[in-house]
Amino acid sequence: MTGPDRGNGWPAVLVVPQWQGSAAREPQRLAEGAHRLSALLPATRRTVVETDSRPGQHQDGVRHLDVLIRSLDATRAALGRSDHDPLLVLGGDCGVELAPVARAVARHGDSLAVVWFDAHADLNTPETSPSGGFHGMVLRTLLGQGPSQLSPQPEERLSPRQVVLAGARALDPAELAFVESEGIRTLSVQALREPDRLISAVAGTGATHVYIHLDLDVLDPEHFTSLSCPEPGGLHPEQLRAALRALTERFHLAGLGVTEHAPAADSAGSDQVLQGILDGLAFP
Protein backbone atom coordinates (compact mmCIF):
# COMPACT_ATOMS: atom_id res chain seq x y z
CA MET A 1 0.00 0.00 0.00
CA THR A 2 1.32 3.43 -0.85
CA GLY A 3 0.77 6.62 1.09
CA PRO A 4 -1.45 9.48 0.00
CA ASP A 5 -0.22 11.95 -2.59
CA ARG A 6 1.78 14.82 -1.09
CA GLY A 7 2.31 18.41 -2.08
CA ASN A 8 4.93 20.89 -1.04
CA GLY A 9 2.74 23.23 1.01
CA TRP A 10 3.13 23.99 4.70
CA PRO A 11 0.25 23.50 7.13
CA ALA A 12 -1.21 26.16 9.37
CA VAL A 13 1.05 26.89 12.35
CA LEU A 14 -0.09 27.35 15.95
CA VAL A 15 2.56 28.76 18.30
CA VAL A 16 1.91 28.13 22.00
CA PRO A 17 4.71 29.64 24.16
CA GLN A 18 3.62 27.89 27.35
CA TRP A 19 6.31 26.92 29.85
CA GLN A 20 4.35 26.27 33.07
CA GLY A 21 3.92 22.56 32.39
CA SER A 22 7.66 22.01 32.79
CA ALA A 23 9.38 20.97 36.00
CA ALA A 24 12.84 21.59 34.55
CA ARG A 25 15.29 24.28 35.55
CA GLU A 26 14.84 27.54 33.66
CA PRO A 27 11.52 26.45 32.14
CA GLN A 28 10.92 29.91 30.66
CA ARG A 29 13.40 28.98 27.92
CA LEU A 30 10.61 26.88 26.42
CA ALA A 31 8.59 29.99 25.60
CA GLU A 32 11.56 31.40 23.73
CA GLY A 33 11.96 28.03 22.05
CA ALA A 34 8.46 28.18 20.60
CA HIS A 35 9.19 31.50 18.93
CA ARG A 36 12.61 30.31 17.71
CA LEU A 37 10.95 27.31 16.08
CA SER A 38 8.39 29.55 14.44
CA ALA A 39 11.15 31.74 12.99
CA LEU A 40 12.62 28.72 11.17
CA LEU A 41 9.48 28.23 9.11
CA PRO A 42 8.51 29.96 5.89
CA ALA A 43 5.80 32.60 6.02
CA THR A 44 2.49 30.76 6.28
CA ARG A 45 -0.78 30.80 8.15
CA ARG A 46 0.39 31.40 11.68
CA THR A 47 -1.40 32.01 14.97
CA VAL A 48 0.33 32.81 18.26
CA VAL A 49 -1.74 31.86 21.30
CA GLU A 50 -1.65 34.49 24.03
CA THR A 51 -0.43 32.71 27.14
CA ASP A 52 0.32 34.00 30.62
CA SER A 53 4.06 34.40 31.14
CA ARG A 54 3.76 34.39 34.94
CA PRO A 55 3.97 31.38 37.27
CA GLY A 56 0.80 30.00 38.80
CA GLN A 57 -0.40 28.05 41.80
CA HIS A 58 0.49 24.48 42.72
CA GLN A 59 -2.91 22.80 43.02
CA ASP A 60 -4.11 19.20 43.19
CA GLY A 61 -0.61 17.87 42.63
CA VAL A 62 0.07 19.96 39.51
CA ARG A 63 2.43 22.93 39.27
CA HIS A 64 0.95 26.15 37.88
CA LEU A 65 -2.42 24.47 37.33
CA ASP A 66 -4.44 27.69 37.11
CA VAL A 67 -2.20 29.05 34.36
CA LEU A 68 -2.34 25.75 32.48
CA ILE A 69 -6.14 25.83 32.54
CA ARG A 70 -6.16 29.32 31.04
CA SER A 71 -3.63 28.32 28.38
CA LEU A 72 -5.74 25.32 27.44
CA ASP A 73 -8.82 27.52 27.10
CA ALA A 74 -6.88 29.96 24.90
CA THR A 75 -5.56 27.14 22.70
CA ARG A 76 -9.01 25.64 22.30
CA ALA A 77 -10.35 29.05 21.30
CA ALA A 78 -7.59 29.47 18.70
CA LEU A 79 -8.34 26.03 17.28
CA GLY A 80 -12.03 26.89 17.17
CA ARG A 81 -11.22 29.73 14.80
CA SER A 82 -9.29 27.44 12.47
CA ASP A 83 -10.43 24.50 10.38
CA HIS A 84 -6.99 23.58 9.06
CA ASP A 85 -5.92 19.94 9.05
CA PRO A 86 -3.09 19.09 9.34
CA LEU A 87 -1.84 21.53 11.92
CA LEU A 88 1.71 22.22 13.04
CA VAL A 89 1.87 23.05 16.76
CA LEU A 90 4.99 24.65 18.22
CA GLY A 91 5.63 24.64 21.96
CA GLY A 92 6.41 25.25 24.64
CA ASP A 93 6.17 22.31 27.01
CA CYS A 94 4.40 19.08 26.10
CA GLY A 95 1.17 20.31 27.66
CA VAL A 96 0.49 22.39 24.54
CA GLU A 97 -0.57 19.14 22.85
CA LEU A 98 -3.78 18.71 24.86
CA ALA A 99 -6.19 20.61 22.63
CA PRO A 100 -4.62 19.71 19.25
CA VAL A 101 -4.55 15.96 19.96
CA ALA A 102 -8.08 16.07 21.40
CA ARG A 103 -9.28 17.78 18.22
CA ALA A 104 -7.59 15.13 16.08
CA VAL A 105 -9.28 12.35 18.08
CA ALA A 106 -12.68 14.02 17.70
CA ARG A 107 -12.16 14.37 13.94
CA HIS A 108 -10.67 10.99 13.11
CA GLY A 109 -11.82 8.67 15.89
CA ASP A 110 -10.54 5.11 15.72
CA SER A 111 -8.74 5.82 12.44
CA LEU A 112 -6.18 7.93 14.34
CA ALA A 113 -2.92 6.79 15.89
CA VAL A 114 -0.68 9.02 17.99
CA VAL A 115 3.07 8.45 17.77
CA TRP A 116 4.69 9.87 20.91
CA PHE A 117 8.35 10.63 20.15
CA ASP A 118 9.69 11.42 23.60
CA ALA A 119 12.44 10.30 25.95
CA HIS A 120 9.72 10.16 28.61
CA ALA A 121 6.33 8.46 28.46
CA ASP A 122 4.39 11.37 30.03
CA LEU A 123 2.09 8.80 31.64
CA ASN A 124 2.16 9.93 35.25
CA THR A 125 -0.81 11.20 37.20
CA PRO A 126 -0.78 13.88 39.91
CA GLU A 127 -0.59 11.03 42.41
CA THR A 128 2.42 9.30 40.81
CA SER A 129 4.38 12.28 39.49
CA PRO A 130 7.66 12.83 41.35
CA SER A 131 7.74 16.52 40.39
CA GLY A 132 4.21 17.78 39.84
CA GLY A 133 5.23 18.96 36.37
CA PHE A 134 2.33 18.54 33.99
CA HIS A 135 4.60 17.79 31.04
CA GLY A 136 5.03 14.34 32.59
CA MET A 137 1.24 13.75 32.68
CA VAL A 138 0.12 14.86 29.23
CA LEU A 139 -0.35 11.52 27.51
CA ARG A 140 -2.09 10.03 30.55
CA THR A 141 -4.45 13.02 30.51
CA LEU A 142 -5.21 12.47 26.82
CA LEU A 143 -6.15 8.93 27.81
CA GLY A 144 -8.70 10.40 30.23
CA GLN A 145 -6.80 9.76 33.46
CA GLY A 146 -5.17 13.07 34.29
CA PRO A 147 -6.17 16.18 36.24
CA SER A 148 -9.92 16.62 35.80
CA GLN A 149 -9.57 20.33 34.99
CA LEU A 150 -7.40 19.52 31.96
CA SER A 151 -9.01 16.29 30.77
CA PRO A 152 -10.55 16.14 27.29
CA GLN A 153 -14.19 15.28 26.71
CA PRO A 154 -14.99 11.55 26.36
CA GLU A 155 -15.24 11.78 22.58
CA GLU A 156 -11.80 13.47 22.49
CA ARG A 157 -9.93 10.84 24.48
CA LEU A 158 -7.40 8.40 23.17
CA SER A 159 -7.46 4.69 23.90
CA PRO A 160 -4.21 2.88 24.73
CA ARG A 161 -4.38 0.87 21.50
CA GLN A 162 -4.05 4.13 19.50
CA VAL A 163 -0.72 5.05 21.09
CA VAL A 164 2.80 4.18 19.96
CA LEU A 165 5.60 5.24 22.32
CA ALA A 166 8.70 5.98 20.27
CA GLY A 167 12.15 6.37 21.83
CA ALA A 168 11.04 6.48 25.47
CA ARG A 169 13.93 5.52 27.74
CA ALA A 170 13.33 7.27 31.09
CA LEU A 171 10.11 5.96 32.60
CA ASP A 172 9.03 6.08 36.23
CA PRO A 173 7.92 2.80 37.87
CA ALA A 174 4.22 3.72 37.73
CA GLU A 175 4.54 4.53 34.04
CA LEU A 176 6.21 1.21 33.30
CA ALA A 177 3.43 -0.61 35.12
CA PHE A 178 0.79 1.30 33.16
CA VAL A 179 2.43 0.59 29.80
CA GLU A 180 2.54 -3.11 30.62
CA SER A 181 -1.00 -3.33 31.99
CA GLU A 182 -2.51 -1.47 29.02
CA GLY A 183 -0.42 -3.16 26.34
CA ILE A 184 0.78 0.12 24.86
CA ARG A 185 2.99 -0.35 21.82
CA THR A 186 6.58 0.76 22.36
CA LEU A 187 9.56 1.13 20.08
CA SER A 188 13.06 1.55 21.45
CA VAL A 189 15.63 3.94 20.04
CA GLN A 190 17.32 0.98 18.41
CA ALA A 191 14.07 -0.17 16.79
CA LEU A 192 13.43 3.33 15.41
CA ARG A 193 16.61 3.08 13.37
CA GLU A 194 14.53 0.87 11.06
CA PRO A 195 11.58 3.01 9.87
CA ASP A 196 9.70 -0.07 8.64
CA ARG A 197 9.28 -1.21 12.25
CA LEU A 198 7.63 2.09 13.12
CA ILE A 199 5.33 1.88 10.10
CA SER A 200 4.38 -1.66 11.09
CA ALA A 201 3.58 -0.62 14.67
CA VAL A 202 1.33 2.23 13.53
CA ALA A 203 -0.35 0.07 10.90
CA GLY A 204 -1.05 -2.44 13.67
CA THR A 205 -3.37 0.08 15.30
CA GLY A 206 -5.58 0.08 12.20
CA ALA A 207 -5.00 3.81 11.72
CA THR A 208 -5.13 5.70 8.46
CA HIS A 209 -4.26 9.06 10.08
CA VAL A 210 -1.42 9.88 12.44
CA TYR A 211 -0.76 12.68 14.88
CA ILE A 212 2.94 13.00 15.63
CA HIS A 213 4.07 14.34 18.99
CA LEU A 214 7.74 15.29 18.92
CA ASP A 215 9.41 16.15 22.19
CA LEU A 216 12.90 17.09 21.11
CA ASP A 217 14.45 15.20 24.02
CA VAL A 218 13.93 12.05 21.97
CA LEU A 219 17.16 13.22 20.32
CA ASP A 220 20.53 12.31 21.74
CA PRO A 221 21.95 15.31 23.63
CA GLU A 222 25.31 14.68 21.98
CA HIS A 223 23.73 15.77 18.71
CA PHE A 224 21.16 18.33 19.92
CA THR A 225 21.83 20.50 22.94
CA SER A 226 18.81 22.82 23.20
CA LEU A 227 17.01 20.59 25.68
CA SER A 228 15.66 21.13 29.18
CA CYS A 229 15.34 17.42 30.08
CA PRO A 230 18.11 15.63 28.14
CA GLU A 231 18.42 11.86 28.34
CA PRO A 232 21.43 9.99 26.92
CA GLY A 233 21.08 7.30 24.32
CA GLY A 234 18.61 9.07 22.04
CA LEU A 235 18.09 9.25 18.31
CA HIS A 236 20.48 10.81 15.87
CA PRO A 237 18.76 13.67 14.00
CA GLU A 238 19.02 11.83 10.70
CA GLN A 239 17.32 8.79 12.21
CA LEU A 240 14.50 10.97 13.47
CA ARG A 241 14.20 12.65 10.09
CA ALA A 242 13.92 9.27 8.36
CA ALA A 243 11.26 8.09 10.82
CA LEU A 244 9.17 11.24 10.39
CA ARG A 245 9.48 11.09 6.63
CA ALA A 246 8.34 7.48 6.59
CA LEU A 247 5.29 8.28 8.70
CA THR A 248 4.21 11.28 6.66
CA GLU A 249 4.63 9.39 3.39
CA ARG A 250 2.64 6.35 4.55
CA PHE A 251 -0.20 7.89 6.60
CA HIS A 252 -2.44 10.93 6.37
CA LEU A 253 -1.02 13.52 8.75
CA ALA A 254 -3.60 14.78 11.24
CA GLY A 255 -1.13 17.05 12.99
CA LEU A 256 2.39 17.46 14.31
CA GLY A 257 3.49 19.02 17.59
CA VAL A 258 7.11 20.01 18.26
CA THR A 259 7.80 20.66 21.94
CA GLU A 260 10.38 21.20 24.67
CA HIS A 261 12.79 23.32 22.63
CA ALA A 262 15.00 25.10 25.17
CA PRO A 263 17.51 27.30 23.31
CA ALA A 264 20.89 27.77 24.93
CA ALA A 265 23.16 30.81 24.59
CA ASP A 266 24.76 29.35 21.46
CA SER A 267 21.99 27.57 19.58
CA ALA A 268 23.12 27.99 15.98
CA GLY A 269 23.97 24.30 15.69
CA SER A 270 20.63 23.27 17.17
CA ASP A 271 18.80 25.58 14.77
CA GLN A 272 20.50 23.82 11.85
CA VAL A 273 19.43 20.44 13.20
CA LEU A 274 15.83 21.61 13.57
CA GLN A 275 15.81 23.12 10.10
CA GLY A 276 16.97 19.81 8.65
CA ILE A 277 14.24 17.89 10.48
CA LEU A 278 11.50 20.30 9.41
CA ASP A 279 12.70 20.42 5.83
CA GLY A 280 12.51 16.65 5.65
CA LEU A 281 8.80 16.42 6.45
CA ALA A 282 6.25 15.54 3.79
CA PHE A 283 3.13 17.63 4.26
CA PRO A 284 -0.03 17.08 2.23
Side-chain angles (χ1 to χ4, degrees), residues 104-157:
V105 175
R107 288 188 170 191
H108 302 292
D110 289 342
S111 68
L112 180 76
V114 172
V115 180
W116 203 261
F117 284 98
D118 202 313
H120 312 90
D122 300 347
L123 286 170
N124 272 306
T125 66
E127 293 74 28
T128 65
S129 171
S131 67
F134 181 66
H135 65 170
M137 311 178 201
V138 180
L139 185 53
R140 190 70 170 265
T141 302
L142 287 165
L143 290 164
Q145 299 181 33
S148 60
Q149 303 95 321
L150 300 173
S151 290
Q153 296 299 311
E155 66 275 12
E156 300 174 328
R157 295 174 186 172

Side-chain angles (χ1 to χ4, degrees), residues 59-196:
Q59 298 173 291
D60 301 330
V62 181
R63 296 187 185 196
H64 314 294
L65 179 59
D66 54 334
V67 176
L68 295 175
I69 293 170
R70 292 196 296 273
S71 292
L72 176 58
D73 289 342
T75 306
R76 285 172 172 161
L79 290 174
R81 296 188 293 269
S82 170
D83 194 41
H84 300 301
D85 192 3
L87 181 72
L88 177 57
V89 181
L90 305 178
D93 65 72
C94 291
V96 306
E97 295 279 48
L98 281 182
V101 174
R103 185 180 80 156
V105 175
R107 288 188 170 191
H108 302 292
D110 289 342
S111 68
L112 180 76
V114 172
V115 180
W116 203 261
F117 284 98
D118 202 313
H120 312 90
D122 300 347
L123 286 170
N124 272 306
T125 66
E127 293 74 28
T128 65
S129 171
S131 67
F134 181 66
H135 65 170
M137 311 178 201
V138 180
L139 185 53
R140 190 70 170 265
T141 302
L142 287 165
L143 290 164
Q145 299 181 33
S148 60
Q149 303 95 321
L150 300 173
S151 290
Q153 296 299 311
E155 66 275 12
E156 300 174 328
R157 295 174 186 172
L158 287 167
S159 67
R161 70 163 189 81
Q162 293 176 278
V163 176
V164 178
L165 289 178
R169 55 194 185 276
L171 279 69
D172 294 317
E175 294 179 300
L176 287 167
F178 183 77
V179 168
E180 183 175 350
S181 68
E182 298 296 328
I184 293 176
R185 292 174 172 85
T186 62
L187 287 170
S188 67
V189 169
Q190 182 176 0
L192 289 171
R193 293 168 183 159
E194 303 175 47
D196 286 349

Side-chain angles (χ1 to χ4, degrees), residues 114-117 164-167 185-188 191-205 210 212 235 239-240 242-248 250-251:
V114 172
V115 180
W116 203 261
F117 284 98
V164 178
L165 289 178
R185 292 174 172 85
T186 62
L187 287 170
S188 67
L192 289 171
R193 293 168 183 159
E194 303 175 47
D196 286 349
R197 296 182 65 177
L198 175 60
I199 297 304
S200 178
V202 177
T205 71
V210 62
I212 301 171
L235 282 172
Q239 294 166 343
L240 175 60
L244 294 174
R245 185 82 185 187
L247 282 173
T248 55
R250 169 62 172 80
F251 300 96

Side-chain angles (χ1 to χ4, degrees), residues 231-266:
E231 297 288 348
L235 282 172
H236 187 281
E238 285 302 316
Q239 294 166 343
L240 175 60
R241 178 171 170 159
L244 294 174
R245 185 82 185 187
L247 282 173
T248 55
E249 288 181 340
R250 169 62 172 80
F251 300 96
H252 293 280
L253 183 64
L256 167 67
V258 185
T259 66
E260 303 283 340
H261 178 217
D266 181 9

